[in-house]
Amino acid sequence: MGLLNATLCQIRRDLTVALRRVHDTLTPVIFFAIVVSLFPLAVGPDKAMLAALAPGVVWVAALLATLLSLNRMFADDYADGSLEQLILAPQPLAVMVLAKVIAHWLLSGLPLVLISPLLALQLHLPESAYGALLASLALGTPVLSLLGAVGAALTLGLRGGGVLVSTLVLPLYTPVLIFGAGAVAQAASGQSIEAHLSLLAAFLVMALTLTPVATAAALRVSLD
């Protein structure tokens, strides 16, 4: 089997397995929607205040929603033994890891991107910032999945792995959070967002280059 076909098969397989457990797949999306929807009730109806806080609220909620699903990225394959078969496969493990990360983002990151404008409407985010919100999340959420894969691989099979994953990856998430929310805030105030989006794109390129290799190495260590 060619490398491209193997990658597509791995993505299709992960999507099929995940969609058989819809409640697990929908948990991050529901959490994201609940957090953003409840925030106006806690802060109050002041439109100016909600609009000012909207970029940070949406981005923090997206980050936390992504954390909810990280622990399952490799756990199910580890439990049923298919992860060992993946390591023994002739295809490079780093490419297979990238395929699993893509599947993870399609299930947990892409839905957050798609529903974010609807939720931002509740926070009275200016319409001029919707494009920046979509662009920043589209660039930032794959970085969250890629960095999270490293943490998930390092804590694979450990008791309390979910807490350990959060501890490991949260410091790495901080720059993405800052520049992602900053891009939306800049757009809302009518300023240029080119610098923020360029940095997010640079983070994405670096993560695509480095994290699959690091995750593959971490998986081998965890299974030894």
Side-chain angles (χ1 to χ4, degrees):
M1 182 181 295
L3 184 58
L4 179 59
N5 287 335
T7 304
L8 295 176
C9 286
Q10 182 63 47
I11 295 173
R12 190 182 307 113
R13 181 255 182 194
D14 283 0
L15 293 177
T16 302
V17 171
L19 291 176
R20 289 175 181 170
R21 288 173 286 193
V22 180
H23 59 284
D24 289 340
T25 304
L26 292 179
T27 297
V29 181
I30 295 172
F31 176 84
F32 178 63
I34 289 175
V35 170
V36 177
S37 299
L38 289 179
F39 198 84
L41 300 178
V43 175
D46 189 333
K47 292 183 179 181
M49 180 183 293
L50 289 173
L53 296 175
V57 171
V58 173
W59 257 96
V60 169
L63 186 152
L64 295 177
T66 302
L67 283 176
L68 286 178
S69 59
L70 288 181
N71 198 40
R72 298 195 306 272
M73 191 180 297
F74 303 111
D76 293 338
D77 291 341
Y78 175 75
D80 62 20
S82 59
L83 187 58
E84 295 180 0
Q85 300 301 316
L86 192 66
I87 291 177
L88 296 173
Q91 291 79 19
L93 181 57
V95 177
M96 296 297 98
V97 164
L98 181 58
K100 294 185 71 66
V101 173
I102 291 172
H104 175 269
W105 180 79
L106 290 174
L107 291 166
S108 63
L110 182 59
L112 303 186
V113 177
L114 296 178
I115 69 171
S116 60
L118 179 61
L119 297 176
L121 183 63
Q122 302 178 64
L123 300 173
H124 303 285
L125 185 71
E127 293 183 6
S128 59
Y130 282 15
L133 178 64
L134 289 170
S136 64
L137 286 173
L139 290 171
T141 49
V143 180
L144 301 183
S145 294
L146 287 162
L147 294 174
V150 181
L154 287 171
T155 59
L156 187 63
L158 299 180
R159 182 176 298 178
V163 177
L164 291 174
V165 170
S166 301
T167 304
L168 286 173
V169 303
L170 275 176
L172 301 176
Y173 280 0
T174 303
V176 181
L177 175 64
I178 292 172
F179 291 110
V184 184
Q186 291 283 93
S189 61
Q191 302 180 48
S192 174
I193 62 172
E194 182 178 351
H196 290 78
L197 294 184
S198 296
L199 286 169
L200 287 174
F203 290 150
L204 178 57
V205 171
M206 290 178 61
L208 284 171
T209 305
L210 300 176
T211 57
V213 177
T215 304
L219 287 174
R220 289 192 172 95
V221 171
S222 297
L223 290 176
D224 283 345

mmCIF file with all atom_site columns, all heavy atoms in Angstrom, residues 120-143:
data_model
loop_
_atom_site.group_PDB
_atom_site.id
_atom_site.type_symbol
_atom_site.label_atom_id
_atom_site.label_alt_id
_atom_site.label_comp_id
_atom_site.label_asym_id
_atom_site.label_entity_id
_atom_site.label_seq_id
_atom_site.pdbx_PDB_ins_code
_atom_site.Cartn_x
_atom_site.Cartn_y
_atom_site.Cartn_z
_atom_site.occupancy
_atom_site.B_iso_or_equiv
_atom_site.pdbx_formal_charge
_atom_site.auth_seq_id
_atom_site.auth_comp_id
_atom_site.auth_asym_id
_atom_site.auth_atom_id
_atom_site.pdbx_PDB_model_num
ATOM 1   N N   . ALA A 1 120 ? -20.042 33.457 18.934 1.00 0.00 ? 120 ALA A N   1
ATOM 2   C CA  . ALA A 1 120 ? -19.531 34.823 19.096 1.00 0.00 ? 120 ALA A CA  1
ATOM 3   C C   . ALA A 1 120 ? -20.652 35.840 18.979 1.00 0.00 ? 120 ALA A C   1
ATOM 4   O O   . ALA A 1 120 ? -20.563 36.939 19.552 1.00 0.00 ? 120 ALA A O   1
ATOM 5   C CB  . ALA A 1 120 ? -18.461 35.106 18.049 1.00 0.00 ? 120 ALA A CB  1
ATOM 6   N N   . LEU A 1 121 ? -21.707 35.483 18.269 1.00 0.00 ? 121 LEU A N   1
ATOM 7   C CA  . LEU A 1 121 ? -22.850 36.379 18.148 1.00 0.00 ? 121 LEU A CA  1
ATOM 8   C C   . LEU A 1 121 ? -23.483 36.647 19.509 1.00 0.00 ? 121 LEU A C   1
ATOM 9   O O   . LEU A 1 121 ? -23.955 37.760 19.780 1.00 0.00 ? 121 LEU A O   1
ATOM 10  C CB  . LEU A 1 121 ? -23.880 35.754 17.197 1.00 0.00 ? 121 LEU A CB  1
ATOM 11  C CG  . LEU A 1 121 ? -25.129 36.576 16.871 1.00 0.00 ? 121 LEU A CG  1
ATOM 12  C CD1 . LEU A 1 121 ? -24.744 37.857 16.140 1.00 0.00 ? 121 LEU A CD1 1
ATOM 13  C CD2 . LEU A 1 121 ? -26.089 35.746 16.036 1.00 0.00 ? 121 LEU A CD2 1
ATOM 14  N N   . GLN A 1 122 ? -23.464 35.638 20.385 1.00 0.00 ? 122 GLN A N   1
ATOM 15  C CA  . GLN A 1 122 ? -24.013 35.817 21.726 1.00 0.00 ? 122 GLN A CA  1
ATOM 16  C C   . GLN A 1 122 ? -23.185 36.796 22.558 1.00 0.00 ? 122 GLN A C   1
ATOM 17  O O   . GLN A 1 122 ? -23.700 37.401 23.495 1.00 0.00 ? 122 GLN A O   1
ATOM 18  C CB  . GLN A 1 122 ? -24.075 34.475 22.457 1.00 0.00 ? 122 GLN A CB  1
ATOM 19  C CG  . GLN A 1 122 ? -24.892 33.414 21.771 1.00 0.00 ? 122 GLN A CG  1
ATOM 20  C CD  . GLN A 1 122 ? -24.871 32.114 22.533 1.00 0.00 ? 122 GLN A CD  1
ATOM 21  O OE1 . GLN A 1 122 ? -25.343 32.025 23.659 1.00 0.00 ? 122 GLN A OE1 1
ATOM 22  N NE2 . GLN A 1 122 ? -24.290 31.084 21.931 1.00 0.00 ? 122 GLN A NE2 1
ATOM 23  N N   . LEU A 1 123 ? -21.904 36.904 22.198 1.00 0.00 ? 123 LEU A N   1
ATOM 24  C CA  . LEU A 1 123 ? -21.013 37.796 22.932 1.00 0.00 ? 123 LEU A CA  1
ATOM 25  C C   . LEU A 1 123 ? -20.918 39.172 22.278 1.00 0.00 ? 123 LEU A C   1
ATOM 26  O O   . LEU A 1 123 ? -20.084 39.982 22.681 1.00 0.00 ? 123 LEU A O   1
ATOM 27  C CB  . LEU A 1 123 ? -19.618 37.169 23.024 1.00 0.00 ? 123 LEU A CB  1
ATOM 28  C CG  . LEU A 1 123 ? -19.547 35.808 23.738 1.00 0.00 ? 123 LEU A CG  1
ATOM 29  C CD1 . LEU A 1 123 ? -18.151 35.218 23.617 1.00 0.00 ? 123 LEU A CD1 1
ATOM 30  C CD2 . LEU A 1 123 ? -19.937 35.947 25.198 1.00 0.00 ? 123 LEU A CD2 1
ATOM 31  N N   . HIS A 1 124 ? -21.741 39.400 21.253 1.00 0.00 ? 124 HIS A N   1
ATOM 32  C CA  . HIS A 1 124 ? -21.794 40.700 20.574 1.00 0.00 ? 124 HIS A CA  1
ATOM 33  C C   . HIS A 1 124 ? -20.439 41.089 19.959 1.00 0.00 ? 124 HIS A C   1
ATOM 34  O O   . HIS A 1 124 ? -20.070 42.253 19.939 1.00 0.00 ? 124 HIS A O   1
ATOM 35  C CB  . HIS A 1 124 ? -22.256 41.799 21.529 1.00 0.00 ? 124 HIS A CB  1
ATOM 36  C CG  . HIS A 1 124 ? -23.600 41.519 22.147 1.00 0.00 ? 124 HIS A CG  1
ATOM 37  N ND1 . HIS A 1 124 ? -24.781 41.651 21.454 1.00 0.00 ? 124 HIS A ND1 1
ATOM 38  C CD2 . HIS A 1 124 ? -23.936 41.073 23.389 1.00 0.00 ? 124 HIS A CD2 1
ATOM 39  C CE1 . HIS A 1 124 ? -25.801 41.323 22.246 1.00 0.00 ? 124 HIS A CE1 1
ATOM 40  N NE2 . HIS A 1 124 ? -25.318 40.968 23.423 1.00 0.00 ? 124 HIS A NE2 1
ATOM 41  N N   . LEU A 1 125 ? -19.734 40.088 19.464 1.00 0.00 ? 125 LEU A N   1
ATOM 42  C CA  . LEU A 1 125 ? -18.488 40.376 18.753 1.00 0.00 ? 125 LEU A CA  1
ATOM 43  C C   . LEU A 1 125 ? -18.819 41.111 17.458 1.00 0.00 ? 125 LEU A C   1
ATOM 44  O O   . LEU A 1 125 ? -19.722 40.696 16.725 1.00 0.00 ? 125 LEU A O   1
ATOM 45  C CB  . LEU A 1 125 ? -17.746 39.079 18.435 1.00 0.00 ? 125 LEU A CB  1
ATOM 46  C CG  . LEU A 1 125 ? -16.359 39.216 17.798 1.00 0.00 ? 125 LEU A CG  1
ATOM 47  C CD1 . LEU A 1 125 ? -15.360 39.746 18.819 1.00 0.00 ? 125 LEU A CD1 1
ATOM 48  C CD2 . LEU A 1 125 ? -15.887 37.861 17.257 1.00 0.00 ? 125 LEU A CD2 1
ATOM 49  N N   . PRO A 1 126 ? -18.111 42.180 17.132 1.00 0.00 ? 126 PRO A N   1
ATOM 50  C CA  . PRO A 1 126 ? -18.404 42.908 15.886 1.00 0.00 ? 126 PRO A CA  1
ATOM 51  C C   . PRO A 1 126 ? -18.272 42.012 14.660 1.00 0.00 ? 126 PRO A C   1
ATOM 52  O O   . PRO A 1 126 ? -17.408 41.127 14.609 1.00 0.00 ? 126 PRO A O   1
ATOM 53  C CB  . PRO A 1 126 ? -17.353 44.022 15.879 1.00 0.00 ? 126 PRO A CB  1
ATOM 54  C CG  . PRO A 1 126 ? -16.961 44.193 17.299 1.00 0.00 ? 126 PRO A CG  1
ATOM 55  C CD  . PRO A 1 126 ? -17.070 42.835 17.937 1.00 0.00 ? 126 PRO A CD  1
ATOM 56  N N   . GLU A 1 127 ? -19.130 42.242 13.680 1.00 0.00 ? 127 GLU A N   1
ATOM 57  C CA  . GLU A 1 127 ? -19.107 41.429 12.461 1.00 0.00 ? 127 GLU A CA  1
ATOM 58  C C   . GLU A 1 127 ? -17.767 41.522 11.747 1.00 0.00 ? 127 GLU A C   1
ATOM 59  O O   . GLU A 1 127 ? -17.356 40.581 11.069 1.00 0.00 ? 127 GLU A O   1
ATOM 60  C CB  . GLU A 1 127 ? -20.239 41.862 11.529 1.00 0.00 ? 127 GLU A CB  1
ATOM 61  C CG  . GLU A 1 127 ? -21.622 41.557 12.057 1.00 0.00 ? 127 GLU A CG  1
ATOM 62  C CD  . GLU A 1 127 ? -22.695 41.938 11.059 1.00 0.00 ? 127 GLU A CD  1
ATOM 63  O OE1 . GLU A 1 127 ? -22.338 42.329 9.921  1.00 0.00 ? 127 GLU A OE1 1
ATOM 64  O OE2 . GLU A 1 127 ? -23.891 41.831 11.394 1.00 0.00 ? 127 GLU A OE2 1
ATOM 65  N N   . SER A 1 128 ? -17.081 42.635 11.894 1.00 0.00 ? 128 SER A N   1
ATOM 66  C CA  . SER A 1 128 ? -15.787 42.804 11.234 1.00 0.00 ? 128 SER A CA  1
ATOM 67  C C   . SER A 1 128 ? -14.732 41.848 11.757 1.00 0.00 ? 128 SER A C   1
ATOM 68  O O   . SER A 1 128 ? -13.698 41.645 11.113 1.00 0.00 ? 128 SER A O   1
ATOM 69  C CB  . SER A 1 128 ? -15.296 44.246 11.414 1.00 0.00 ? 128 SER A CB  1
ATOM 70  O OG  . SER A 1 128 ? -15.158 44.561 12.797 1.00 0.00 ? 128 SER A OG  1
ATOM 71  N N   . ALA A 1 129 ? -14.965 41.241 12.927 1.00 0.00 ? 129 ALA A N   1
ATOM 72  C CA  . ALA A 1 129 ? -13.981 40.340 13.532 1.00 0.00 ? 129 ALA A CA  1
ATOM 73  C C   . ALA A 1 129 ? -14.280 38.872 13.259 1.00 0.00 ? 129 ALA A C   1
ATOM 74  O O   . ALA A 1 129 ? -13.489 38.011 13.653 1.00 0.00 ? 129 ALA A O   1
ATOM 75  C CB  . ALA A 1 129 ? -13.914 40.581 15.042 1.00 0.00 ? 129 ALA A CB  1
ATOM 76  N N   . TYR A 1 130 ? -15.400 38.566 12.584 1.00 0.00 ? 130 TYR A N   1
ATOM 77  C CA  . TYR A 1 130 ? -15.744 37.166 12.353 1.00 0.00 ? 130 TYR A CA  1
ATOM 78  C C   . TYR A 1 130 ? -14.722 36.460 11.456 1.00 0.00 ? 130 TYR A C   1
ATOM 79  O O   . TYR A 1 130 ? -14.375 35.300 11.684 1.00 0.00 ? 130 TYR A O   1
ATOM 80  C CB  . TYR A 1 130 ? -17.143 37.054 11.743 1.00 0.00 ? 130 TYR A CB  1
ATOM 81  C CG  . TYR A 1 130 ? -18.267 37.231 12.742 1.00 0.00 ? 130 TYR A CG  1
ATOM 82  C CD1 . TYR A 1 130 ? -18.019 37.774 13.998 1.00 0.00 ? 130 TYR A CD1 1
ATOM 83  C CD2 . TYR A 1 130 ? -19.558 36.871 12.439 1.00 0.00 ? 130 TYR A CD2 1
ATOM 84  C CE1 . TYR A 1 130 ? -19.032 37.951 14.912 1.00 0.00 ? 130 TYR A CE1 1
ATOM 85  C CE2 . TYR A 1 130 ? -20.596 37.039 13.346 1.00 0.00 ? 130 TYR A CE2 1
ATOM 86  C CZ  . TYR A 1 130 ? -20.319 37.588 14.594 1.00 0.00 ? 130 TYR A CZ  1
ATOM 87  O OH  . TYR A 1 130 ? -21.329 37.754 15.502 1.00 0.00 ? 130 TYR A OH  1
ATOM 88  N N   . GLY A 1 131 ? -14.270 37.170 10.435 1.00 0.00 ? 131 GLY A N   1
ATOM 89  C CA  . GLY A 1 131 ? -13.260 36.575 9.558  1.00 0.00 ? 131 GLY A CA  1
ATOM 90  C C   . GLY A 1 131 ? -11.982 36.267 10.304 1.00 0.00 ? 131 GLY A C   1
ATOM 91  O O   . GLY A 1 131 ? -11.370 35.195 10.120 1.00 0.00 ? 131 GLY A O   1
ATOM 92  N N   . ALA A 1 132 ? -11.561 37.175 11.177 1.00 0.00 ? 132 ALA A N   1
ATOM 93  C CA  . ALA A 1 132 ? -10.353 36.941 11.981 1.00 0.00 ? 132 ALA A CA  1
ATOM 94  C C   . ALA A 1 132 ? -10.557 35.784 12.947 1.00 0.00 ? 132 ALA A C   1
ATOM 95  O O   . ALA A 1 132 ? -9.637  34.996 13.190 1.00 0.00 ? 132 ALA A O   1
ATOM 96  C CB  . ALA A 1 132 ? -9.987  38.215 12.752 1.00 0.00 ? 132 ALA A CB  1
ATOM 97  N N   . LEU A 1 133 ? -11.769 35.672 13.507 1.00 0.00 ? 133 LEU A N   1
ATOM 98  C CA  . LEU A 1 133 ? -12.056 34.562 14.423 1.00 0.00 ? 133 LEU A CA  1
ATOM 99  C C   . LEU A 1 133 ? -11.928 33.227 13.709 1.00 0.00 ? 133 LEU A C   1
ATOM 100 O O   . LEU A 1 133 ? -11.279 32.300 14.205 1.00 0.00 ? 133 LEU A O   1
ATOM 101 C CB  . LEU A 1 133 ? -13.459 34.733 14.993 1.00 0.00 ? 133 LEU A CB  1
ATOM 102 C CG  . LEU A 1 133 ? -13.943 33.629 15.935 1.00 0.00 ? 133 LEU A CG  1
ATOM 103 C CD1 . LEU A 1 133 ? -13.093 33.577 17.186 1.00 0.00 ? 133 LEU A CD1 1
ATOM 104 C CD2 . LEU A 1 133 ? -15.418 33.843 16.287 1.00 0.00 ? 133 LEU A CD2 1
ATOM 105 N N   . LEU A 1 134 ? -12.537 33.125 12.519 1.00 0.00 ? 134 LEU A N   1
ATOM 106 C CA  . LEU A 1 134 ? -12.455 31.881 11.753 1.00 0.00 ? 134 LEU A CA  1
ATOM 107 C C   . LEU A 1 134 ? -11.019 31.570 11.338 1.00 0.00 ? 134 LEU A C   1
ATOM 108 O O   . LEU A 1 134 ? -10.563 30.426 11.441 1.00 0.00 ? 134 LEU A O   1
ATOM 109 C CB  . LEU A 1 134 ? -13.358 31.969 10.519 1.00 0.00 ? 134 LEU A CB  1
ATOM 110 C CG  . LEU A 1 134 ? -14.858 31.926 10.769 1.00 0.00 ? 134 LEU A CG  1
ATOM 111 C CD1 . LEU A 1 134 ? -15.619 32.273 9.497  1.00 0.00 ? 134 LEU A CD1 1
ATOM 112 C CD2 . LEU A 1 134 ? -15.270 30.549 11.271 1.00 0.00 ? 134 LEU A CD2 1
ATOM 113 N N   . ALA A 1 135 ? -10.307 32.600 10.862 1.00 0.00 ? 135 ALA A N   1
ATOM 114 C CA  . ALA A 1 135 ? -8.935  32.386 10.400 1.00 0.00 ? 135 ALA A CA  1
ATOM 115 C C   . ALA A 1 135 ? -8.016  31.987 11.546 1.00 0.00 ? 135 ALA A C   1
ATOM 116 O O   . ALA A 1 135 ? -7.186  31.070 11.408 1.00 0.00 ? 135 ALA A O   1
ATOM 117 C CB  . ALA A 1 135 ? -8.415  33.658 9.721  1.00 0.00 ? 135 ALA A CB  1
ATOM 118 N N   . SER A 1 136 ? -8.145  32.652 12.687 1.00 0.00 ? 136 SER A N   1
ATOM 119 C CA  . SER A 1 136 ? -7.264  32.343 13.818 1.00 0.00 ? 136 SER A CA  1
ATOM 120 C C   . SER A 1 136 ? -7.533  30.941 14.360 1.00 0.00 ? 136 SER A C   1
ATOM 121 O O   . SER A 1 136 ? -6.588  30.204 14.690 1.00 0.00 ? 136 SER A O   1
ATOM 122 C CB  . SER A 1 136 ? -7.430  33.387 14.922 1.00 0.00 ? 136 SER A CB  1
ATOM 123 O OG  . SER A 1 136 ? -8.738  33.360 15.473 1.00 0.00 ? 136 SER A OG  1
ATOM 124 N N   . LEU A 1 137 ? -8.809  30.565 14.447 1.00 0.00 ? 137 LEU A N   1
ATOM 125 C CA  . LEU A 1 137 ? -9.119  29.215 14.921 1.00 0.00 ? 137 LEU A CA  1
ATOM 126 C C   . LEU A 1 137 ? -8.704  28.156 13.906 1.00 0.00 ? 137 LEU A C   1
ATOM 127 O O   . LEU A 1 137 ? -8.249  27.074 14.273 1.00 0.00 ? 137 LEU A O   1
ATOM 128 C CB  . LEU A 1 137 ? -10.612 29.100 15.219 1.00 0.00 ? 137 LEU A CB  1
ATOM 129 C CG  . LEU A 1 137 ? -11.110 29.794 16.491 1.00 0.00 ? 137 LEU A CG  1
ATOM 130 C CD1 . LEU A 1 137 ? -12.627 29.746 16.565 1.00 0.00 ? 137 LEU A CD1 1
ATOM 131 C CD2 . LEU A 1 137 ? -10.498 29.171 17.729 1.00 0.00 ? 137 LEU A CD2 1
ATOM 132 N N   . ALA A 1 138 ? -8.871  28.460 12.616 1.00 0.00 ? 138 ALA A N   1
ATOM 133 C CA  . ALA A 1 138 ? -8.468  27.505 11.581 1.00 0.00 ? 138 ALA A CA  1
ATOM 134 C C   . ALA A 1 138 ? -6.966  27.258 11.599 1.00 0.00 ? 138 ALA A C   1
ATOM 135 O O   . ALA A 1 138 ? -6.502  26.149 11.296 1.00 0.00 ? 138 ALA A O   1
ATOM 136 C CB  . ALA A 1 138 ? -8.907  28.011 10.206 1.00 0.00 ? 138 ALA A CB  1
ATOM 137 N N   . LEU A 1 139 ? -6.187  28.280 11.936 1.00 0.00 ? 139 LEU A N   1
ATOM 138 C CA  . LEU A 1 139 ? -4.738  28.119 12.023 1.00 0.00 ? 139 LEU A CA  1
ATOM 139 C C   . LEU A 1 139 ? -4.306  27.594 13.387 1.00 0.00 ? 139 LEU A C   1
ATOM 140 O O   . LEU A 1 139 ? -3.327  26.839 13.484 1.00 0.00 ? 139 LEU A O   1
ATOM 141 C CB  . LEU A 1 139 ? -4.044  29.464 11.761 1.00 0.00 ? 139 LEU A CB  1
ATOM 142 C CG  . LEU A 1 139 ? -4.091  30.010 10.340 1.00 0.00 ? 139 LEU A CG  1
ATOM 143 C CD1 . LEU A 1 139 ? -3.549  31.428 10.299 1.00 0.00 ? 139 LEU A CD1 1
ATOM 144 C CD2 . LEU A 1 139 ? -3.299  29.116 9.388  1.00 0.00 ? 139 LEU A CD2 1
ATOM 145 N N   . GLY A 1 140 ? -5.016  27.986 14.428 1.00 0.00 ? 140 GLY A N   1
ATOM 146 C CA  . GLY A 1 140 ? -4.580  27.658 15.780 1.00 0.00 ? 140 GLY A CA  1
ATOM 147 C C   . GLY A 1 140 ? -5.005  26.303 16.283 1.00 0.00 ? 140 GLY A C   1
ATOM 148 O O   . GLY A 1 140 ? -4.223  25.620 16.966 1.00 0.00 ? 140 GLY A O   1
ATOM 149 N N   . THR A 1 141 ? -6.227  25.878 15.971 1.00 0.00 ? 141 THR A N   1
ATOM 150 C CA  . THR A 1 141 ? -6.682  24.591 16.510 1.00 0.00 ? 141 THR A CA  1
ATOM 151 C C   . THR A 1 141 ? -5.872  23.393 15.990 1.00 0.00 ? 141 THR A C   1
ATOM 152 O O   . THR A 1 141 ? -5.662  22.444 16.756 1.00 0.00 ? 141 THR A O   1
ATOM 153 C CB  . THR A 1 141 ? -8.184  24.384 16.221 1.00 0.00 ? 141 THR A CB  1
ATOM 154 O OG1 . THR A 1 141 ? -8.468  24.640 14.829 1.00 0.00 ? 141 THR A OG1 1
ATOM 155 C CG2 . THR A 1 141 ? -9.023  25.305 17.084 1.00 0.00 ? 141 THR A CG2 1
ATOM 156 N N   . PRO A 1 142 ? -5.376  23.380 14.732 1.00 0.00 ? 142 PRO A N   1
ATOM 157 C CA  . PRO A 1 142 ? -4.484  22.272 14.362 1.00 0.00 ? 142 PRO A CA  1
ATOM 158 C C   . PRO A 1 142 ? -3.200  22.253 15.185 1.00 0.00 ? 142 PRO A C   1
ATOM 159 O O   . PRO A 1 142 ? -2.671  21.172 15.489 1.00 0.00 ? 142 PRO A O   1
ATOM 160 C CB  . PRO A 1 142 ? -4.180  22.545 12.880 1.00 0.00 ? 142 PRO A CB  1
ATOM 161 C CG  . PRO A 1 142 ? -5.300  23.379 12.399 1.00 0.00 ? 142 PRO A CG  1
ATOM 162 C CD  . PRO A 1 142 ? -5.703  24.230 13.566 1.00 0.00 ? 142 PRO A CD  1
ATOM 163 N N   . VAL A 1 143 ? -2.697  23.432 15.547 1.00 0.00 ? 143 VAL A N   1
ATOM 164 C CA  . VAL A 1 143 ? -1.505  23.478 16.398 1.00 0.00 ? 143 VAL A CA  1
ATOM 165 C C   . VAL A 1 143 ? -1.811  22.867 17.758 1.00 0.00 ? 143 VAL A C   1
ATOM 166 O O   . VAL A 1 143 ? -0.997  22.127 18.329 1.00 0.00 ? 143 VAL A O   1
ATOM 167 C CB  . VAL A 1 143 ? -1.003  24.927 16.557 1.00 0.00 ? 143 VAL A CB  1
ATOM 168 C CG1 . VAL A 1 143 ? 0.244   24.977 17.437 1.00 0.00 ? 143 VAL A CG1 1
ATOM 169 C CG2 . VAL A 1 143 ? -0.702  25.544 15.201 1.00 0.00 ? 143 VAL A CG2 1
#
